[in-house]
Amino acid sequence: MTSLPSNVQNLWRRLSGFDIAALVIFALGAGAMALGISGAISNFLKFLAVPAAFYLIFRFIGWWRSRLLWSLRNRLIVAYVFIAAVPILLILILGFLAGRILYSQLGAYLVYEDIHARINMVADMAEHIAMAHRTPLKGLSEEEAENILAAQSHAVHDQELPGLTITFSADATLLRKVAKGGDAFAGLLQEEDKLALASIRAIPGTRVRVVELKVPVTPELLAAIAPDVGAIQLNLMQKFTGAAQQTVIYKSGDEQYAAGGRIAARARGLQPEGFWIDPSVSVVSRLNSVYVSRDGAVEQNRPVLAVTNARPSRLNARIFNSLGELRDSYLLLFILVGIVFLLIELAALITGINMTRRITSAIADLYQATQYVQSGDLTHRVRVERRDQLGVLGESFNLMTGSISGLIEEQKQRQRLENEISIAREVQNQLFPKRLPSVPGVEVEAICKAARSVSGDYYDFIQLTPTHIAVAIADISGKGISAALLMASLQAALRSQLLMEGSENLGTAELVSRLNKHLVRNTGDDRFATFFIAVYDSATRQLRYTNAGHLPSFLISGKKTEHLDKGGMVLGVYEESLYEECLLQVPLDALLIGYSDGLVEPENVYGEEFGVRRLQEAAVQVQASPPSRVAESLMPAAEEWAGSAEQADDMTVIVARMR
């Protein structure tokens, strides 16, 4: 393991001329930016410093991954940073953002609620005046009664609602527009560039009579709203006409608005910090107003943007005001929990450093020991000082070095065995037909997938005459090299019989009987083979076959399927076994399919075998395809049924199309 200064020296030696130039450009540009130097050359250096910085970062990441992180200690440090420091940093950032959102929404809520509380107050006043108007005082005219009601309301509410105006009229035009046909309205009312808290109500039980209360939104009114927040400013919005505007465009629905008049609270500013971490929180919230233009047109929901700021300490006091004296207890509890968390973090850091040193020292000893082994010294042993898992690892390493010689010899033997298996596989591949015979009206194809390196399945296509072809398939008991050897013996015996002159007239039953005697006399009692042989004459369209214990091949012609199961018992068991030959007249465009048990025995997750019936159904679906397509589709059908490409047995299929 190398130290950090050594790594820095190695990095410096690895720097190219282009790297040094990029480093110099970045240093000059950063220096000009830090010192505030302006000018054509300095600005150009600042511009070049940006791509130079990206280039250096890219180069450093490549070196850092290949050199700095080569050390396990550095990897553990990086892991600790990402496991401990990064999550804490992300949690702090998330908490900071959540706090800003919470406090900004709380500040907006306080402004919103205070304004609507005054709107509700004005609405209640209008309702009380309307109810009192229904029972006029005796001896007073209507105008005198209205003046008295207005004077009473002014006396009670003028202090908290400065500028309150109360008017009575017989014109209900504005009420019908702003109340959408109702008999009362309460909310923000904007008339051109003036904003007011308004309540307009029809007086019931009289001829058309309307009472209208308005409180203009002035700096004095805003100064009394939401004392827990700082500065408050209401921006009256105007429809954006597309002209050049030095302001932000606000979009609401399909309309665009630009800031118009502004109303700012008088003598209101951001409160002083309550403690050293008490940042300013700003928020922009929306209030809806009813806008009335000079021509009397009314627009519902004209936005009014409220801009406020506040200190979290003041908002906290508002939130925890109901706790009373318990606030200090909660704060003390929070501080104690923070101190406990800090102590736990320090303990975890110290523990991590100690564990890192132990792990890296043990790894260093193991690495040094591997260098001895690499040089050929198998006598070196790792010093074991602890009984933990690293100590057990050192003991395991010592045991490993003690047995390397035996492992090397075992590997040599395994390599010799693999070479022998490779030779056996090459020899077996020579036993399968290299070229498919060409018989008029006959197309053949076969696929054999071995479960191991060599297969115990066997197939063959032998052309006897220009119109005669023999098709054979066999399954040798067992697997591996022993099955391959027996397969070679069966192939040699079969070809020696069929390649003699006049073999096209040799009965399949007689042929199978001879092969049976050959296997009985030349193999052990525990070795046998299932075998199927068919001889087809394309001139007469006759098929002669004998099945010696093999799974029955089937002949497909349209919707008709015939199983070829006539014959006798398996080969190599009883020398005097009798076999039967069967003769068939083959229909036009028939399809002969032979297969080994490895193709029908795969099981699904429920233990159900693929089976002959499903294989037959899969073949019927593609019977019109060429033999190669038929053979290639049957293998995946069995594998899909099993849900895995792993084979338990050799899989072989032969396909012959007889036109």
Side-chain angles (χ1 to χ4, degrees), residues 530-541:
T530 63
F531 184 72
F532 171 82
I533 181 70
V535 178
Y536 175 66
D537 184 0
S538 62
T540 62
R541 304 195 63 80

Side-chain angles (χ1 to χ4, degrees), residues 43-285:
N43 292 336
F44 183 67
L45 286 176
K46 294 176 185 178
F47 172 76
L48 291 181
V50 176
F54 281 105
Y55 172 78
L56 292 174
I57 291 173
F58 176 78
R59 290 282 292 163
F60 176 76
I61 291 175
W63 171 83
W64 184 60
R65 291 184 59 187
S66 61
R67 294 291 179 179
L68 187 61
L69 290 185
W70 180 87
S71 170
L72 178 61
R73 179 173 297 172
N74 295 338
R75 287 179 178 268
L76 290 174
I77 292 173
V78 173
Y80 290 151
V81 169
F82 279 98
I83 292 174
V86 171
I88 293 175
L89 178 62
L90 294 178
I91 290 173
L92 292 176
I93 294 175
L94 181 62
F96 175 76
L97 295 177
R100 289 191 67 89
I101 294 173
L102 174 64
Y103 288 125
S104 63
Q105 291 304 306
L106 178 58
Y109 172 78
L110 293 177
V111 174
Y112 178 88
E113 283 298 309
D114 217 342
I115 291 177
H116 278 77
R118 283 167 170 75
I119 293 175
N120 293 334
M121 185 184 300
V122 174
D124 291 340
M125 290 169 57
E127 183 179 2
H128 292 157
I129 291 174
M131 295 300 294
H133 197 283
R134 296 179 59 182
T135 56
L137 298 175
K138 292 181 180 181
L140 296 178
S141 64
E142 183 180 56
E143 182 179 356
E144 291 174 338
E146 290 174 350
N147 291 334
I148 292 174
L149 291 175
Q152 291 175 346
S153 298
H154 279 296
V156 175
H157 297 287
D158 272 357
Q159 185 175 359
E160 54 187 341
L161 298 174
L164 172 66
T165 61
I166 303 174
T167 59
F168 296 87
S169 69
D171 185 4
T173 303
L174 180 60
L175 174 62
R176 286 193 294 268
K177 290 181 179 180
V178 299
K180 298 180 181 180
D183 60 354
F185 164 80
L188 287 173
L189 184 65
Q190 182 179 350
E191 297 175 297
E192 291 300 327
D193 58 348
K194 295 181 180 180
L195 184 67
L197 311 180
S199 178
I200 307 174
R201 175 177 289 274
I203 300 176
T206 66
R207 66 186 187 281
V208 178
R209 197 68 177 164
V210 175
V211 59
E212 180 179 315
L213 284 76
K214 289 184 181 179
V215 179
V217 178
T218 61
E220 291 76 10
L221 177 66
L222 292 182
I225 288 177
D228 292 307
V229 302
I232 302 176
Q233 176 178 294
L234 299 185
N235 294 327
L236 306 183
M237 309 304 290
Q238 298 176 350
K239 284 191 176 180
F240 180 63
T241 59
Q245 294 271 348
Q246 299 296 326
T247 184
V248 178
I249 304 302
Y250 177 77
K251 187 174 181 181
S252 176
D254 297 331
E255 298 291 342
Q256 289 184 333
Y257 297 91
R262 295 177 175 84
I263 306 172
R266 178 167 297 174
R268 286 283 292 270
L270 183 64
Q271 305 97 330
E273 295 181 354
F275 47 90
W276 65 279
I277 302 180
D278 196 13
S280 171
V281 177
S282 301
V283 65
V284 178
S285 59

Side-chain angles (χ1 to χ4, degrees), residues 30 42 91 100 104 119 201 242 253 294 297 352 387 410 430 459-460 540 569 611 616 621 629 654:
S42 60
I91 290 173
R100 289 191 67 89
S104 63
I119 293 175
R201 175 177 289 274
R294 287 183 182 147
R387 304 306 304 172
E410 182 179 345
Q430 299 297 322
Y459 71 87
D460 213 342
T540 62
M569 67 182 302
Q616 179 179 319
Q621 292 178 359
R629 177 71 180 87
I654 60 173

Side-chain angles (χ1 to χ4, degrees), residues 425 428-429 432 445-459 473-476 478-480 483 487 594-602 628 630-654:
R425 183 169 56 251
Q428 186 183 50
N429 290 336
F432 293 114
E445 187 60 63
I447 298 177
C448 179
K449 292 180 66 176
R452 297 183 183 177
S453 299
V454 290
S455 172
D457 287 357
Y458 166 64
Y459 71 87
I473 184 171
D475 188 357
I476 312 300
K479 300 177 184 65
M487 167 192 163
Y595 53 93
S596 65
D597 56 358
L599 195 61
V600 296
E601 290 179 351
S628 59
V630 175
E632 290 172 356
S633 66
L634 295 182
M635 289 287 187
E639 292 173 352
E640 290 176 4
W641 174 262
S644 172
E646 184 178 355
Q647 296 178 225
D649 198 359
D650 303 325
M651 300 171 65
T652 303
V653 61
I654 60 173

